[in-house]
Amino acid sequence: MRKKLVAGNWKMHGGIEQNNSLLNKVVAGTLGADKATYAVCVPYPYLSQVSSLLKDTHISWGAQNISQHVKGAFTGEVSAIMLNDFFCHYVIVGHSERRTLYGEDSKIVSHKFKAALENSLIPILCVGESLDQREAGLTEEIVGEQLDAVIELVGVEALEHAVLAYEPIWAIGTGRTATPQQAQDIHSFIRNRVASHNTQIATKIQILYGGSVKANNATELFVMPDIDGGLIGGASLLPDEFISICMAANN
Ligand code: PGA
């Protein structure tokens, strides 16, 4: 039985005061939830604040990106090992905003994934197609390629310490979520793809759905057999919404 995971992706949002108030509410509002786990992936400057706020709670934390390099002359970059100083549990890699706005291709993403694993971080690997690609019937080809690039570099066994997230680009921040069946179809495709290499890992791996998950659609998504929780953008900044989504995963 896979446990569900709800991870907030704050993107480039937050502030000292705001984080304090949001996290105190989320901690209090999700107490007693034992069937699911929760995390927030926050901007780098707040990792210190968030690690001290959450350290004795049931909520874990992480970052939204890392460098594929260990250290060196890479102005503006942050390495996986630096995240260890803030006791990060997770790091998102290959979010579609990184792929489309910052030119991260599947090769770069797979090296970031590897860097995360080598430093005891759990990568949350995002995969997903654009609207044009979906309409052209290319969803499985695109998602398959994004997944294969990682498996090719690190081997399928490495997925034992990773989380996958299916995030159709057309559903991110648009209010247009995939229907539970549309999401389930691709989740099942992803699980089968992993199973073609290793069935045990395929059975165990958590596959999150992301893209306009809200309190009012979380339950119908989370009951689907291959949806193991969510990666939540906008709604993770609103305490009541995020708490409701977390509770929907705790059923
Ligand atoms: P959204 O973002 O929930 O605001 O659509 C999800 C994501 O980008 O991870």
Side-chain angles (χ1 to χ4, degrees):
M1 195 37 201
R2 292 181 297 272
K3 227 179 185 181
K4 292 213 168 17
L5 166 66
V6 175
N9 172 14
W10 288 4
K11 309 196 181 186
M12 201 170 72
H13 295 286
I16 300 278
E17 289 298 311
Q18 189 186 328
N19 305 343
N20 203 39
S21 147
L22 171 65
L23 290 176
N24 283 330
K25 287 181 188 158
V26 170
V27 168
T30 54
L31 273 180
D34 50 5
K35 294 194 196 137
T37 56
Y38 310 114
V40 287
C41 295
V42 308
Y44 299 133
Y46 301 128
L47 281 173
S48 172
Q49 178 197 17
V50 168
S51 66
S52 47
L53 275 171
L54 296 180
K55 79 171 178 304
D56 293 319
T57 75
H58 57 293
I59 302 197
S60 26
W61 61 92
Q64 301 167 12
N65 181 32
I66 43 164
S67 169
Q68 64 270 45
H69 304 291
V70 176
K71 62 178 169 183
F74 301 104
T75 302
E77 290 291 282
V78 170
S79 71
I81 209 160
M82 292 173 184
L83 298 187
N84 291 158
D85 283 341
F86 299 95
F87 307 101
C88 287
H89 198 64
Y90 295 104
V91 62
I92 298 172
V93 295
H95 189 280
S96 63
E97 285 149 20
R98 301 295 320 170
R99 293 182 193 258
T100 57
L101 303 173
Y102 299 95
E104 293 185 9
D105 60 19
S106 288
K107 186 166 175 233
I108 295 175
V109 170
S110 52
H111 282 276
K112 290 185 175 210
F113 186 98
K114 185 165 183 265
L117 286 178
E118 285 172 351
N119 292 285
S120 312
L121 295 162
I122 297 186
I124 302 177
L125 172 71
C126 299
V127 296
E129 81 290 0
S130 68
L131 188 57
D132 285 353
Q133 290 164 337
R134 171 163 281 261
E135 284 172 349
L138 295 173
T139 301
E140 293 189 355
E141 191 178 313
I142 297 294
V143 168
E145 181 274 323
Q146 292 169 339
L147 187 60
D148 289 351
V150 168
I151 296 178
E152 218 165 274
L153 184 72
V154 297
V156 74
E157 289 73 24
L159 295 187
E160 185 155 15
H161 305 289
V163 172
L164 303 177
Y166 170 56
E167 296 209 311
I169 298 172
W170 46 272
I172 295 178
T174 58
R176 177 180 169 191
T177 185
T179 65
Q181 194 54 54
Q182 277 176 322
Q184 167 58 29
D185 288 348
I186 304 304
H187 281 236
S188 151
F189 164 78
I190 292 171
R191 200 176 302 285
N192 287 336
R193 189 87 161 204
V194 176
S196 71
H197 298 274
N198 184 317
T199 48
Q200 248 179 335
I201 288 179
T203 309
K204 275 208 234 150
I205 197 162
Q206 290 169 313
I207 309 177
L208 313 185
Y209 169 77
S212 299
V213 179
K214 310 280 178 223
N216 66 11
N217 60 21
T219 300
E220 62 188 32
L221 287 159
F222 296 168
V223 296
M224 301 310 276
D226 288 299
I227 300 184
D228 305 313
L231 184 56
I232 320 297
S236 71
L237 301 168
L238 306 168
D240 293 344
E241 277 281 313
F242 191 60
I243 290 166
S244 298
I245 295 169
C246 290
M247 291 301 104
N250 190 48
N251 271 317

